[in-house]
Amino acid sequence: MNINMEQIFMITSPIMFSGWLALVFSPLAPKFTIRFATYVAPGILSLVYMVLIMSFWAGTPGGFDTFENVKLLFTKDEIIMAGWLHYLAFDLFVGAWIVANARMEAIPFWLVLICLPVTLMFGPIGFILYLMIRTSFKAVNHHATPLKSLSKV
């Protein structure tokens, strides 16, 4: 199979950025933007990831048993691209969870905006930052009324 990884990168990057933009503008159209950033954009990225893994995983050197074998996994361009898509899809999903959870917990959106670029660039750090903000906000504002369900989102 002859797939140009640069083309995949150029096609998937706008999909990822559109998901993050949807999160930034989520107060304007919460139902649409949360669904788009939770399901559509990460779903497309995950489908491309799946195609790459199914097409190129067999015969890839390396494994998960040692650090050296993990490094060997990422010596093939197709697997590097799959790993990149894995990051993009999961970080976007975490960003969407942060936005939805903050809405459910009645956390002001400006506090969420602090977390989104950090989550985009450094996924787990953004997640931890949000958890710290959420914990602090709940401690200071224990009178805030959290929403009981996101089923209407």
Side-chain angles (χ1 to χ4, degrees), residues 103-133:
R103 185 171 294 123
M104 187 174 70
E105 297 287 344
I107 296 171
F109 190 69
W110 69 269
L111 290 171
V112 173
L113 284 175
I114 295 168
C115 302
L116 292 181
V118 180
T119 306
L120 167 62
M121 297 301 296
F122 308 104
I125 297 173
F127 177 65
I128 293 295
L129 176 62
Y130 171 70
L131 293 179
M132 290 169 38
I133 287 172

Side-chain angles (χ1 to χ4, degrees), residues 73-95:
L73 283 174
F74 295 100
T75 57
K76 205 170 170 182
D77 284 351
E78 296 84 2
I79 302 303
I80 294 169
M81 179 55 67
W84 178 242
L85 292 170
H86 185 282
Y87 279 114
L88 296 182
F90 270 58
D91 286 355
L92 179 54
F93 187 82
V94 170

Side-chain angles (χ1 to χ4, degrees), residues 27-43:
L28 302 175
K31 288 182 183 181
F32 169 78
T33 55
I34 290 297
R35 286 180 180 143
F36 181 79
T38 302
Y39 304 111
V40 177

Side-chain angles (χ1 to χ4, degrees), residues 9-24:
F9 184 86
M10 298 304 290
I11 291 167
T12 56
S13 291
I15 294 167
M16 175 268 300
F17 280 119
S18 66
W20 285 100
L21 279 174
L23 293 177
V24 168

